[in-house]
Amino acid sequence: MKKLIAAVAASLLMMSAGAQTVPAPSIAAKSWLLLDATSGQVIAAQDPNARIEPASLTKVMTAYVVFGAIRDKKLALNTMVNVSTRAWKVDSSSSKMFIDPATPVSVDDLLHGLMVQSGNDAAVALAEAVAGDEGTFVVLMNREAQRMGLKNTKFANPHGLPSPDNYSTAQDLAQLATNVIRDFPEFYKIDSVKQFTYNKITQQNRNRLLWLDPTVDGMKTGHTESSGYSMIASARRPNGASGQRRLISVVSGASSDAVRTQESQKLLNWGFQNFDTVKLYSKGQAIATPEVWKGSQGSVKIGFTNDVLVTVPKGVAGKLKPVLERKDPLVAPLPRNGRVGTLRMMVDNKPLLVLPVVALEEVQEASIFGRAWDSLRLMIK
């Protein structure tokens, strides 16, 4: 099943370039990417697999691991954490939420300090609360990265301060952001908080798009002298009769806070204005019911294990034409979710995307007499 889902995602990503008929905007950044999180398609990108220093974008994975610990009841939002000297003394010149070893702090406050204030001290305190020490927590971060398939990502710490062993790509960070929003929507809301006060110190969220665009609800900014200015931004806007549509932009290596904000907004606007996301098929919907040979039943419903959505330039959706290619003859036994063919979505006789088609139900073998009869039929067919 996992391989099949991966095949669907790979097909969407491979074909997205073919769908690109709208010139991408010029973006003042070293590496960038725009992902339609609703369909899973990359709409446009520049050097998306180039290794980059994620800086404080690292904290998105830190948050993901903490969210998982809360889900697994290893700690709770109201768990009080004792602040270690190590957390308190983290690089004094870097961003902090100003926790104090003399005052325990809740996990909830630490998460706000992490994602709203970008506190490196909060990152260390959370790492120690979850895993006991930073090193063990980093192992958990890299384990999650591997599980997510982030092949070009490695973490060396929970905060993103410079290290040669702390790196990622725009492609991987977009996938990480998608996973946070999908897996922990209740915690993702923290990213939209505009300011947070702790220890009588109020700090604003560094994501300026939260003030400029009401559809933006996250996610994180980053900056070091060596990496430049970076941002993961996410927005939801109406998608016609299909409900809401979410885009995620990743910009890395911009020259200033203002530039990363401007270019992220440019990418989001361009994606929403020039593309539509359409639902082609629903999960479990039978797109055909072909004949089955030597089976306990004469036909089988075929379709997809997940909703199938595609992002296309505006005006293209009406031109989509499906072409089904089956592995005929279909001979029992057929396992449920076993691949039985391919569906090609064509535009002007050119493939836009290719999707694996599966059996939506199991078909067992017929009796010995049924198999013999169908064998004879196949011989004379």
Side-chain angles (χ1 to χ4, degrees):
M1 174 67 73
K2 291 182 178 178
K3 290 183 179 179
L4 184 62
I5 294 173
V8 173
S11 298
L12 290 170
L13 292 176
M14 285 191 297
M15 303 312 295
S16 62
Q20 175 61 34
T21 59
V22 182
S26 175
I27 301 298
K30 294 179 180 179
S31 175
W32 57 266
L33 177 145
L34 182 65
L35 171 73
D36 188 310
T38 306
S39 67
Q41 276 182 259
V42 174
I43 301 177
Q46 175 179 290
D47 294 331
N49 292 309
R51 181 178 291 192
I52 61 174
E53 181 185 335
S56 281
L57 302 186
T58 299
K59 295 183 175 83
V60 177
M61 178 59 87
T62 299
Y64 188 94
V65 175
V66 176
F67 297 157
I70 296 172
R71 175 200 59 205
D72 297 339
K73 302 188 184 307
K74 295 178 180 178
L75 71 167
L77 289 176
N78 61 1
T79 299
M80 300 305 294
V81 176
N82 292 320
V83 178
S84 69
T85 302
R86 182 179 179 86
W88 175 55
K89 286 187 174 181
V90 69
D91 191 345
S92 59
S93 64
S94 66
S95 55
K96 303 178 72 173
M97 72 174 289
F98 301 104
I99 52 180
D100 190 320
T103 307
V105 56
S106 71
V107 169
D108 189 34
D109 281 348
L110 286 171
L111 283 170
H112 282 76
L114 180 79
M115 299 306 289
V116 180
Q117 299 178 327
S118 199
N120 293 326
D121 50 355
V124 176
L126 284 167
E128 293 174 343
V130 171
D133 61 78
E134 277 189 82
T136 304
F137 187 82
V138 169
V139 171
L140 298 179
M141 295 172 71
N142 286 315
R143 187 178 298 166
E144 284 294 340
Q146 184 177 22
R147 183 186 65 80
M148 293 178 188
L150 310 185
K151 298 180 180 180
N152 299 304
T153 293
K154 183 179 179 181
F155 297 108
N157 57 58
H159 37 62
L161 288 172
S163 167
D165 291 325
N166 205 71
Y167 55 82
S168 190
T169 66
Q171 178 81 62
D172 282 0
L173 289 170
Q175 182 60 54
L176 171 59
T178 301
N179 291 352
V180 170
I181 297 168
R182 179 197 65 206
D183 296 343
F184 300 105
E186 70 277 23
F187 296 132
Y188 171 62
K189 295 176 183 178
I190 294 173
D191 292 359
S192 63
V193 175
K194 293 182 178 180
Q195 65 179 32
F196 180 64
T197 301
Y198 181 79
N199 201 13
K200 299 181 180 180
I201 301 171
T202 299
Q203 298 184 63
Q204 289 190 338
N205 195 318
R206 291 168 175 78
N207 182 355
R208 306 305 176 199
L209 288 180
L210 294 175
W211 283 266
L212 299 174
D213 184 342
T215 69
V216 171
D217 56 10
M219 163 176 289
K220 191 72 187 72
T221 62
H223 170 252
T224 64
E225 289 298 322
S226 51
S227 71
Y229 290 81
S230 56
M231 176 186 285
I232 302 173
S234 183
R236 291 181 71 202
R237 297 184 190 176
N239 186 45
S242 302
Q244 295 287 314
R245 174 178 171 220
R246 180 177 293 281
L247 298 186
I248 295 173
S249 65
V250 181
V251 169
S252 177
S255 59
S256 69
D257 177 16
V259 170
R260 73 180 171 192
T261 301
Q262 170 186 298
E263 301 305 89
S264 297
Q265 181 76 86
K266 185 191 299 184
L267 268 178
L268 293 172
N269 285 342
W270 175 79
F272 281 117
Q273 291 167 3
N274 292 284
F275 292 83
D276 291 319
T277 296
V278 295
K279 184 175 181 179
L280 302 179
Y281 301 99
S282 298
K283 173 183 177 181
Q285 175 186 346
I287 64 171
T289 310
E291 185 176 12
V292 176
W293 299 81
K294 302 183 182 182
S296 58
Q297 59 192 62
S299 61
V300 61
K301 296 178 181 178
I302 63 175
F304 307 98
T305 56
N306 292 282
D307 290 346
V308 176
L309 300 101
V310 61
T311 300
V312 293
K314 287 187 180 295
V316 169
K319 300 179 181 179
L320 290 172
K321 294 182 179 180
V323 175
L324 178 61
E325 300 171 355
R326 294 199 309 265
K327 294 181 179 180
D328 288 338
L330 297 180
V331 180
L334 294 176
R336 182 175 182 176
N337 296 329
R339 186 164 180 173
V340 296
T342 298
L343 184 75
R344 298 179 184 274
M345 296 302 301
M346 311 292 289
V347 176
D348 297 330
N349 295 319
K350 296 179 181 180
L352 176 67
L353 73 157
V354 181
L355 298 166
V357 179
V358 303
L360 297 176
E361 54 190 336
E362 178 184 7
V363 180
Q364 297 180 350
E365 282 187 318
S367 66
I368 187 171
F369 299 106
R371 296 199 303 274
W373 174 246
D374 276 1
S375 294
L376 180 61
R377 292 175 61 208
L378 283 169
M379 289 176 62
I380 63 176
K381 183 180 179 182

